[in-house]
Amino acid sequence: MPQQGAHPAPETVRSDEDIFDKIERLAALHAKGILTDQEFEAKKSELLNRL
């Protein structure tokens, strides 16, 4: 039988990667001028707090 706890739960790893992907997309929108500094910082802080 495989040992429990040998690897981090895939859901946790995926959700962390997903959060970083979202931050990267937000940064791209911010760089294009679609998001204001305030909008970008607020959403980035919200996403980082989920980690």
Side-chain angles (χ1 to χ4, degrees):
M1 285 199 168
Q3 292 181 344
Q4 294 295 326
H7 299 285
E11 304 81 41
T12 302
V13 172
R14 182 62 234 154
S15 68
D16 285 357
E17 290 176 4
D18 194 44
I19 288 171
F20 291 126
D21 288 346
K22 287 179 181 177
I23 291 172
E24 287 178 358
R25 289 194 301 267
L26 286 171
L29 292 173
H30 179 244
K32 292 178 182 177
I34 295 171
L35 294 177
T36 65
D37 291 344
Q38 295 85 357
E39 290 169 330
F40 173 70
E41 290 298 329
K43 192 62 178 179
K44 182 178 76 169
S45 293
E46 176 189 320
L47 290 168
L48 289 174
N49 285 333
R50 294 184 192 177
L51 295 176

